[in-house]
């Protein structure tokens, strides 16, 4: 899967997030703020690829800046509770929300349950 670490802003913008995407030990929002949840060494920017191996339902999150004006009209805004299990280069498996993946890699991809 291809990472799209971008935030939907306003009525149509999609900009690179200031903080990186990463793999998490649990499918929850803001995992990096929970001790032991963020998998060390898995920070990535847009364009990085992971091998997805499974899917599960986790916390519903969005890639949208919900405080920005006209965000409801932004076609790039995504909301989902689908998370993919992905393999880090060193073999560890962690989770990434599909809202941080390129649109072609959303929807669970027919992967088995994690």
């Amino acid at each position: 899967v291809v990472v799209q670490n971008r935030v939907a802003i306003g009525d149509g913008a999609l900009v690179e997030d200031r903080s990186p995407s990463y793999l998490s030990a649990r499918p929850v929002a803001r995992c990096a703020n929970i001790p032991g949840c963020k998998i060390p060494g898995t920070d990535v920017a847009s364009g990085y690829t992971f091998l997805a191996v499974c899917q599960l339902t986790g916390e519903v999150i969005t890639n949208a800046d919900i405080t920005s004006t006209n965000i409801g009209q932004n076609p790039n805004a995504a909301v989902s509770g689908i998370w993919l299990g992905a393999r880090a280069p060193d073999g560890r498996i962690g989770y990434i929300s599909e809202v941080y993946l390129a649109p072609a890699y959303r929807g669970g991809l027919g992967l088995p349950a994690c």
Side-chain angles (χ1 to χ4, degrees):
V1 294
V2 177
V3 173
Q4 181 178 281
N5 187 41
R6 296 190 177 123
V7 178
I9 298 174
D11 60 5
L14 188 63
V15 299
E16 189 71 14
D17 196 329
R18 291 184 311 243
S19 59
S21 284
Y22 53 86
L23 296 180
S24 60
R26 300 193 319 260
V28 296
R30 296 176 181 80
C31 177
N33 298 330
I34 302 169
C37 188
K38 179 180 174 182
I39 297 176
T42 62
D43 288 0
V44 296
S46 292
Y48 189 87
T49 60
F50 284 114
L51 173 63
V53 297
C54 59
Q55 64 173 309
L56 74 160
T57 301
E59 190 170 341
V60 174
I61 67 170
T62 183
N63 69 339
D65 176 351
I66 59 172
T67 65
S68 63
T69 304
N70 297 323
I71 190 62
Q73 286 79 45
N74 191 321
N76 300 301
V79 176
S80 181
I82 297 174
W83 293 66
L84 297 184
R87 188 177 310 281
D90 65 4
R92 292 177 293 172
I93 301 290
Y95 304 108
I96 187 168
S97 170
E98 71 171 3
V99 303
Y100 294 116
L101 301 177
Y105 300 96
R106 297 178 186 159
L109 304 175
L111 293 167
C114 293

